[in-house]
Amino acid sequence: MIPRVHVRHFTTDDFNEWDRLVDESWNGTFLHKRRFLAYHGERFTDVSLIIEDDKGQLIGVFPAAIDPAGPNRVVSHPGSTYGGLVHNNSLVGSGLLEALRAIVETYRELGIHTLGYKAIPYIYHSVPTADDLYALFCLKAKAYRCSLSSTVDLDNRPPLSKRRKQALDKAAKHGVHVECGENFLERYWSVLEENLATKHDAKPIHSLAEMRHLCSIFPRNIKCVVGIHDGELVAGVILFQHGKVVHTQYIASKQQSPDTSALEMVIEHSLNQSKAGGMRYFDFGTSNEPDSGLLNDGLHWFKSKFGAGSVQHDYFELSLH
C-alpha cells in the first residue's frame, strides 16, 4: 500500500527527531544529521524538509539549502558530498516517488526553478535502497555529473601492487611509525594546509576550529591518523566512519628529502585497522576536478594501487517548471 505523505519545512523543534530518524534509516549517515549540518552556520540558507505519513509520523527527511550560485536553485545538499532523501522502510517504490513529487511541489511554491539531487552511493546504505533513482527517472531528472570514488572492498581486497609494497618497505626502513588521536589534529592541519596551498592553491573545506568541533560532537566517527618520522609529523589522514564505511576526508603529506613513503604506511595502517574493526568498505573519495568534473587520472591511479575499485557518485537536476 502506497503511504500518503505530507511534506513541511524543517524547524528547530524537529532537531532531535530528525537525527533519530537518520540513525534508524536505511540510507542515512552522520553527514545527514542536524548536528553535522549545523556546523555550516549561516554559510547556507537552509530549506530542509520533513516527510510525514497521514498519521503525522516522521518517515523521511530531506536536507537541502539554496544553491549559493543562484537563489532559484535548491541543492540536497551544497555543503556535503551527497544529500538525498533519507528514509525508513515506509518509503519504497511508488511511496518514495510520491514523496519526491511532494518535495517538488513544495519547492515550486517557493518559486524555486531547479532541484539538484546528489544521490547517496550504495555503499553507504544499510539496506539496499535505490528507490530514489527510480523516482528521479520517473520525474525525468537529468544526470548532469558522474564522479568516481575509489573504494576498497575490505572483504575482497586485491593484493597490493609491487610499487605499494616497495613503498611500505621504504617507510619501515626509515623508521616511520603511525599514531592516532585528536591531539595530533593541529600539527596535521599545518601539513594539510601547506599541501593544499602548494599543490592546488586551495584551503581545506573545514577550518581547524570546525574540525575540532566536529570531532567533539562525533568522537566515534572522526579519526586523525598520522605518520611520524624522527619526531616530526610528515603525513596523515582524516577518517570519517559511517556505519560499515570508512571515508578518507583529507589525505596529505609533507615534501621530504629523502622520501620516506610515510603516507603509504598511514593508509595501509588505516586499511588494516578498518578491516580489523569490522568495516566493509574503505572509501578514498572522488578524484574528479571540482570545476570541470573530469577525472584526475593520476590521483585515481594512486588510490587504485591500494586495491580500490570504483563507485559512482550520481548528480541529478530536476526542472520544477
Side-chain angles (χ1 to χ4, degrees):
M1 181 177 178
I2 301 173
R4 295 182 61 184
V5 298
H6 304 276
V7 171
R8 62 176 175 83
H9 293 280
F10 165 81
T11 71
T12 53
D13 292 337
D14 299 311
F15 194 102
N16 291 330
E17 282 298 292
W18 176 298
D19 282 5
R20 179 189 61 77
L21 182 129
V22 172
D23 283 331
E24 298 173 356
S25 71
W26 282 12
N27 59 344
T29 72
F30 81 89
L31 297 188
H32 292 101
K33 289 189 172 185
R34 298 311 308 190
R35 287 187 295 156
F36 181 86
L37 295 171
Y39 99 87
H40 292 303
E42 303 299 319
R43 192 176 301 169
F44 301 111
T45 301
D46 189 271
V47 286
S48 298
L49 300 177
I50 295 286
I51 300 100
E52 297 173 330
D53 62 16
D54 55 4
K55 297 180 181 178
Q57 297 296 312
L58 180 63
I59 57 176
V61 297
F62 193 71
I66 298 294
D67 188 342
N72 295 321
R73 186 173 190 267
V74 164
V75 180
S76 179
H77 185 283
S80 183
T81 308
Y82 45 78
L85 201 167
V86 177
H87 62 90
N88 57 25
N89 62 354
S90 298
L91 287 175
V92 296
S94 297
L96 197 141
L97 175 57
E98 291 307 308
L100 194 54
R101 281 177 172 152
I103 288 170
V104 165
E105 186 58 35
T106 301
Y107 287 136
R108 184 184 287 127
E109 291 173 357
L110 288 179
I112 301 299
H113 297 170
T114 310
L115 173 62
Y117 191 103
K118 302 178 185 179
I120 306 165
Y122 76 90
I123 59 173
Y124 292 95
H125 299 178
S126 58
V127 178
T129 173
D131 306 73
D132 58 340
L133 302 183
Y134 167 75
L136 289 165
F137 168 78
C138 290
L139 295 179
K140 295 180 170 54
K142 294 182 178 180
Y144 71 91
R145 179 168 178 158
C146 177
S147 296
L148 286 182
S149 188
S150 300
T151 306
V152 178
D153 182 342
L154 294 170
D155 288 344
N156 299 283
R157 186 185 177 192
L160 273 175
S161 69
K162 181 178 179 181
R163 182 172 294 189
R164 292 283 79 79
K165 289 180 180 179
Q166 292 173 340
L168 291 172
D169 289 342
K170 182 194 294 185
K173 181 179 179 180
H174 282 282
V176 175
H177 68 280
V178 178
E179 300 283 354
C180 180
E182 188 183 343
N183 54 305
F184 293 103
L185 201 56
E186 183 172 358
R187 291 166 62 190
Y188 173 63
W189 225 249
S190 296
V191 173
L192 175 63
E193 289 177 332
E194 179 184 351
N195 181 281
L196 289 176
T198 302
K199 292 185 177 182
H200 306 288
D201 191 26
K203 295 180 180 180
I205 296 173
H206 305 86
S207 67
L208 175 59
E210 287 172 337
M211 187 55 66
R212 279 177 167 164
H213 175 63
L214 290 173
C215 286
S216 69
I217 301 174
F218 301 103
R220 295 184 177 181
N221 300 95
I222 302 177
K223 306 294 182 186
C224 179
V225 185
V226 299
I228 308 294
H229 175 246
D230 287 344
E232 182 183 9
L233 194 158
V234 294
V237 60
I238 300 295
L239 301 176
F240 280 13
Q241 181 176 320
H242 315 264
K244 294 293 185 180
V245 182
V246 174
H247 174 257
T248 60
Q249 183 65 27
Y250 294 109
I251 301 176
S253 63
K254 294 189 71 170
Q255 293 290 332
Q256 285 182 279
S257 182
D259 174 26
T260 63
S261 294
L263 184 58
E264 276 83 352
M265 179 169 280
V266 168
I267 292 174
E268 186 64 22
H269 173 90
S270 299
L271 282 159
N272 291 334
Q273 289 299 108
S274 298
K275 171 67 174 175
M279 299 297 104
R280 174 64 192 274
Y281 297 108
F282 190 94
D283 185 18
F284 282 97
T286 60
S287 301
N288 297 73
E289 300 295 346
D291 295 326
S292 67
L294 296 176
L295 187 66
N296 182 325
D297 286 302
L299 182 58
H300 191 65
W301 177 86
F302 170 78
K303 296 172 181 177
S304 72
K305 297 309 174 183
F306 288 95
S310 298
V311 171
Q312 67 192 61
H313 284 237
D314 290 318
Y315 301 77
F316 297 92
E317 190 165 81
L318 186 60
S319 173
L320 307 192
H321 287 299

